[in-house]
């Protein structure tokens, strides 16, 4: 184990999510069985509801002493899976898919999402979906990223020169995946970058992404002009060897695009983009990421690391959205996509940033047109700039819109965006916020099975099964806590109201009473009501006839 003998990581959060149990579906693989995780939410009416589960074995451990040795890492399950022979020199999911081979990774994600493995193979072969799975990340439970599948979310973690430790970052990874992070990126730029990543990798059940230029910059003591292709290349190989599943490479920031950002309100906000712009200008040379791109393809192909072609010129403000700098870079990413795929390397494309709502969909249409529908992976986008401290919300608005339009993975933004390094609480807020955006998009796209959870929760809500409402939610702990803030007593868990309206004004209770009355009086259907109306009319006319059939009834003389 290449991590240090001292153990900087004491513990991480374990145990099932409230009201649910981790389970595994057994499906046949090429050689042996595959165990596909899911989470079973038990309902108080005896039913249950199963949901996708990203949390790895951590939620399976019911007690803290069941936690594996973090220094050893998670079981290396995927080492036992079948690995097909290389096709045209490439041992990648893309190469195998194109050759008609359904890998164990494809079977696994198909079972995980309720799709046919052949459909998975087709999407991967077309480059419309990727399965980031470095052969050196055997702890991985593979996931598929593509617009035909459930929208995925990424949580960024990692230290900075200002704050955080290895222990905190490992816990952030576990915490992010507990709440539904489909992938994590280790964006560390502070101390012990290699060792931090090693601890994260060995304990990560989800695909891990990085931006290798950050560590390369650290190696040259933070001076971008001192970067070289060789330093970058060696850093990429070092990270491939550690098992990183996808890498952001800002190879579309070309020398001639740098001036395009000169008059922007916020210049270049991408770290990788600004680093490469600084290098290109200082050397007055084309970016080494661009000129050496084919060598990079050969390295990534060797490990089946997926490219995440970076948006180094993404807009960092509403004013800069959809400008020439941004779209010039996107055209270059389209060109690089074709090259990477010709090497059999899987590709996704990173997207903005800060974009007002009316300019969002154009981003997806252009990306699809220019990049052969490679999965789009966007940072938000933030739909307005005016709410620092609430940028998980400004960005989730954009994220929901861009996901509905076809974005495959949403990179979360936390409440700390533009203000500081997110802590564990911010990570959870970011993840839950992005699960909302992703799920809202799945619903709008008619993703099979997406709506059943809404329906189950709504039924529980209408039937005042409070515990089921909590447990079916994205964050059962907070839902319960909020309810119990005003009505903590046990009987309130079946009460037909909450403290919002109180017992007399609870509309759902009144509505249920209306329904019960209707049933009791046979007034459920329109026909029942028409029949009742007709009967009432008949009774009235009978009454009229009985009274002598007179239209004018003389008033009593005394009251005249
Ligand atoms: C590209 C995005 O990456 C995020 N970002 C950059 N570094 C970190 C980190 N160490 N932890 C969490 N998020 C980070 C910022 O939110 C930025 O917007
Ligand atoms: C969707 C997305 N885009 C970009 C980055 C990298 O950050 P940067 O470009 O600032 O180096 C990221 N982590 N996620
Ligand atoms: S988030 Fe902070 S450190 Fe990063 S670009 Fe903005 S101001 Fe600079
Ligand atoms: Zn920003």
């Amino acid at each position: 184990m290449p991590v240090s003998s001292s153990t900087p990581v004491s513990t991480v959060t374990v145990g099932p999510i409230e009201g649910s149990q981790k389970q595994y579906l057994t499906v046949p693989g090429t050689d042996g069985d595959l165990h596909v995780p899911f989470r079973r939410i038990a309902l108080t009416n005896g039913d249950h509801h199963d949901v996708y589960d990203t949390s790895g074995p951590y939620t399976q451990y019911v007690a803290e002493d069941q936690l594996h040795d973090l220094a050893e890492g998670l079981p290396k399950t995927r080492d036992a899976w079948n690995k097909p022979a290389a096709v045209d020199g490439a041992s990648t999911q893309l190469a195998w898919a194109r050759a008609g081979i359904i890998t164990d990774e494809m079977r696994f994600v198909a079972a995980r999402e309720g799709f046919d493995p052949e459909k998975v193979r087709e999407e991967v072969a077309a480059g419309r979906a990727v399965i980031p799975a470095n052969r050196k990340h055997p702890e991985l439970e593979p996931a598929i990223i593509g617009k035909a599948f459930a929208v995925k979310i990424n949580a960024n973690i990692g230290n900075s020169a200002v704050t955080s430790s290895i222990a905190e970052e490992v816990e952030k990874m576990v915490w992010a995946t507990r709440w539904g992070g489909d992938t994590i990126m280790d964006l560390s730029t502070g101390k012990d970058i290699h060792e931090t990543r090693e601890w994260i990798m060995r304990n990560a059940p989800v695909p891990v992404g990085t931006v290798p230029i950050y560590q390369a910059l650290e190696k040259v003591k933070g001076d971008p002009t001192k970067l070289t292709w060789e330093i970058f290349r060696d850093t990429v190989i070092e990270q491939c060897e550690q098992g990183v599943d996808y890498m952001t490479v800002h190879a579309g920031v070309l020398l001639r695009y740098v001036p395009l950002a000169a008059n922007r309100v916020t210049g270049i906000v991408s770290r990788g983009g600004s680093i490469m712009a600084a290098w290109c200008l200082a050397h007055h040379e084309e970016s080494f990421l661009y000129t050496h791109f084919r060598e990079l393809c050969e390295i990534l192909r060797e490990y089946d690391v997926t490219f995440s072609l970076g948006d180094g010129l993404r807009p960092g403000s509403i004013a800069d959205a959809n400008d020439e700098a941004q779209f010039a870079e996107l055209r270059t990413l389209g060109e690089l996509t074709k090259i990477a795929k010709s090497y059999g390397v899987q590709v996704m494309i990173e997207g903005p940033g800060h974009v007002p709502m009316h300019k969002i969909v154009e981003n997806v249409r252009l990306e699809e047109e220019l990049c052969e529908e490679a999965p789009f992976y966007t940072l938000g986008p933030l739909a307005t700039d005016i709410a620092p401290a609430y940028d998980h919300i400004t960005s989730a608005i954009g994220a929901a819109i861009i996901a509905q339009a076809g974005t495959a993975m949403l990179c979360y933004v936390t409440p700390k965006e533009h203000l500081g390094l997110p802590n564990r609480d911010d990570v959870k807020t970011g993840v839950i916020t992005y699960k909302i955006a992703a799920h809202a998009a799945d619903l709008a796209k008619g993703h099979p099975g997406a709506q059943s959870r809404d329906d189950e929760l709504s039924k529980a809500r209408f039937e005042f099964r409070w515990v089921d409402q909590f447990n079916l939610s994205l964050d059962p702990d907070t839902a319960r806590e909020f309810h119990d803030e005003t009505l903590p007593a046990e009987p309130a868990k079946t009460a037909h109201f909450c403290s919002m309206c109180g017992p007399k004004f609870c509309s759902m209770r009144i509505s249920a009473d209306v329904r019960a009355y209707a049933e009791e009086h046979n007034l459920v259907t329109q026909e029942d009501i028409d029949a009742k109306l007709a009967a009432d009319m008949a009774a009235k006319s009978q009454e009229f006839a009985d009274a002598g059939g007179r239209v004018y009834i003389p008033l009593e003389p005394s009251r005249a």
Side-chain angles (χ1 to χ4, degrees):
M1 184 76 196
V3 300
S4 84
S5 49
S6 64
T7 303
V9 178
S10 45
T11 192
V12 295
T13 303
V14 300
I17 290 174
E18 180 66 26
S20 65
Q21 205 184 37
K22 176 63 153 279
Q23 301 204 2
Y24 294 87
L25 176 70
T26 302
V27 295
T30 313
D31 301 330
D33 284 341
L34 307 174
H35 302 283
V36 181
F38 65 95
R39 184 161 70 87
R40 176 156 289 181
I41 303 170
L43 304 180
T44 57
N45 64 5
D47 290 348
H48 57 75
H49 186 78
D50 295 339
V51 295
Y52 193 100
D53 185 88
T54 56
S55 62
Y58 299 93
T59 48
Q60 187 194 329
Y61 309 138
V62 290
E64 215 147 283
D65 60 8
Q66 292 180 337
L67 175 62
H68 62 270
D69 179 357
L70 292 166
E72 279 296 319
L74 288 167
K76 300 184 185 333
T77 310
R78 204 162 66 94
D79 273 343
W81 292 11
N82 178 270
K83 187 163 172 280
V87 180
D88 296 332
S91 298
T92 66
Q93 299 295 327
L94 176 57
W96 289 317
R98 281 170 167 169
I101 298 166
I102 297 177
T103 62
D104 281 355
E105 285 78 5
M106 295 175 205
R107 290 181 209 285
F108 187 94
V109 300
R112 213 173 178 185
E113 302 228 5
F115 276 85
D116 188 65
E118 175 55 24
K119 167 76 175 169
V120 168
R121 190 201 61 76
E122 280 169 20
E123 291 296 304
V124 174
R128 275 192 304 269
V130 295
I131 303 176
N134 184 331
R135 62 179 171 82
K136 297 230 165 181
H137 187 195
E139 301 86 354
L140 174 68
E141 294 171 351
I144 189 159
I145 301 165
K147 70 171 172 178
F149 305 96
V151 174
K152 303 299 185 295
I153 66 161
N154 167 68
N156 287 331
I157 60 165
N159 69 12
S160 76
V162 180
T163 183
S164 202
S165 65
I166 292 180
E168 284 171 276
E169 293 309 320
V170 173
E171 168 60 358
K172 277 188 205 169
M173 177 274 291
V174 172
W175 193 236
T177 57
R178 177 179 183 85
W179 298 113
D182 292 287
T183 77
I184 64 110
M185 288 192 85
D186 175 9
L187 299 181
S188 292
T189 53
K191 62 174 160 52
D192 307 327
I193 295 180
H194 181 99
E195 207 191 349
T196 302
R197 189 171 51 240
E198 187 62 26
W199 279 92
I200 291 172
M201 286 304 322
R202 300 286 71 82
N203 290 291
V206 297
V208 176
T210 60
V211 186
I213 199 81
Y214 299 172
Q215 192 187 0
L217 185 68
E218 174 59 22
K219 289 179 182 175
V220 295
K221 301 190 163 49
D223 181 352
T225 66
K226 297 221 162 59
L227 283 167
T228 62
W229 157 248
E230 288 73 22
I231 291 171
F232 180 78
R233 177 199 61 202
D234 293 348
T235 308
V236 167
I237 294 171
E238 172 185 337
Q239 298 196 8
C240 285
E241 281 288 326
Q242 279 186 297
V244 169
D245 300 289
Y246 65 94
M247 291 184 190
T248 296
V249 179
H250 300 84
V253 181
L254 302 189
L255 175 61
R256 66 177 184 277
Y257 299 159
V258 179
L260 297 177
N263 294 320
R264 279 178 160 186
V265 170
T266 48
I268 299 177
V269 297
S270 157
R271 269 184 203 162
S274 63
I275 294 165
M276 290 316 298
W279 187 91
C280 290
L281 277 195
H283 295 266
H284 209 81
E285 231 178 89
E286 193 48 277
S287 158
F288 56 79
L289 299 177
Y290 184 78
T291 56
H292 290 268
F293 191 72
R294 287 174 181 274
E295 286 161 81
L296 215 43
C297 292
E298 282 169 5
I299 298 168
L300 266 59
R301 175 175 66 180
E302 181 64 28
Y303 298 84
D304 198 5
V305 170
T306 300
F307 269 119
S308 187
L309 295 178
D311 51 347
L313 295 176
R314 68 173 174 271
S317 53
I318 291 298
D320 297 343
N322 294 14
D323 69 357
E324 180 51 22
Q326 187 195 333
F327 288 155
E329 178 187 42
L330 188 58
R331 288 192 288 275
T332 300
L333 297 187
E335 178 197 319
L336 297 172
T337 300
K338 292 185 182 68
I339 296 172
K341 283 165 71 179
S342 76
Y343 283 81
V345 179
Q346 305 186 83
V347 185
M348 1 182 225
I349 305 293
E350 289 182 7
H354 292 239
V355 186
M357 294 200 298
H358 62 291
K359 293 188 178 177
I360 288 178
V361 172
E362 186 188 356
N363 279 273
V364 183
R365 297 286 86 89
L366 256 185
E367 188 273 346
E368 289 181 342
E369 184 189 320
L370 295 169
C371 305
E372 302 185 336
E373 294 183 88
F376 205 20
Y377 169 31
T378 63
L379 179 67
L382 287 73
T384 169
D385 300 339
I386 66 166
Y390 298 87
D391 279 332
H392 55 309
I393 298 172
T394 60
S395 66
I397 292 168
I401 294 171
I402 211 162
Q404 184 187 1
T407 289
M409 180 153 78
L410 303 170
C411 181
Y412 84 1
V413 171
T414 76
K416 291 283 168 65
E417 185 72 10
H418 306 110
L419 303 171
L421 191 76
N423 62 27
R424 182 179 180 273
D425 291 345
D426 302 318
V427 165
K428 179 175 173 184
T429 302
V431 167
I432 300 285
T433 306
Y434 271 67
K435 288 295 285 184
I436 297 169
H439 184 76
D442 287 342
L443 283 175
K445 289 166 68 181
H447 185 73
Q451 198 185 319
S452 63
R453 186 169 179 180
D454 297 69
D455 295 347
E456 281 296 345
L457 190 146
S458 294
K459 260 193 281 173
R461 176 176 285 155
F462 194 69
E463 291 169 11
F464 299 99
R465 285 183 277 121
W466 291 99
V467 172
D468 293 345
Q469 185 183 165
F470 305 153
N471 293 345
L472 284 160
S473 75
L474 289 175
D475 181 0
D477 299 344
T478 307
R480 177 185 286 266
E481 186 191 314
F482 283 11
H483 174 270
D484 289 6
E485 189 181 319
T486 46
L487 291 171
E490 199 44 42
K493 295 296 185 300
T494 50
H496 288 200
F497 66 95
C498 75
S499 66
M500 175 70 86
C501 312
K504 294 273 195 295
F505 283 82
C506 176
S507 54
M508 290 203 309
R509 197 269 301 153
I510 297 169
S511 160
D513 288 353
V514 169
R515 196 178 274 184
Y517 177 92
E519 270 162 19
E520 202 179 305
H521 294 83
N522 278 325
L523 291 172
V524 177
T525 65
Q526 186 62 48
E527 288 73 42
D528 295 341
I529 292 169
D530 290 348
K532 171 89 163 82
L533 272 177
D536 285 355
M537 291 284 233
K540 279 273 178 244
S541 57
Q542 189 58 50
E543 208 178 282
F544 177 67
D546 291 350
R550 286 168 305 172
V551 175
Y552 300 102
I553 301 173
L555 295 169
E556 304 264 329
S558 63
R559 295 185 52 198

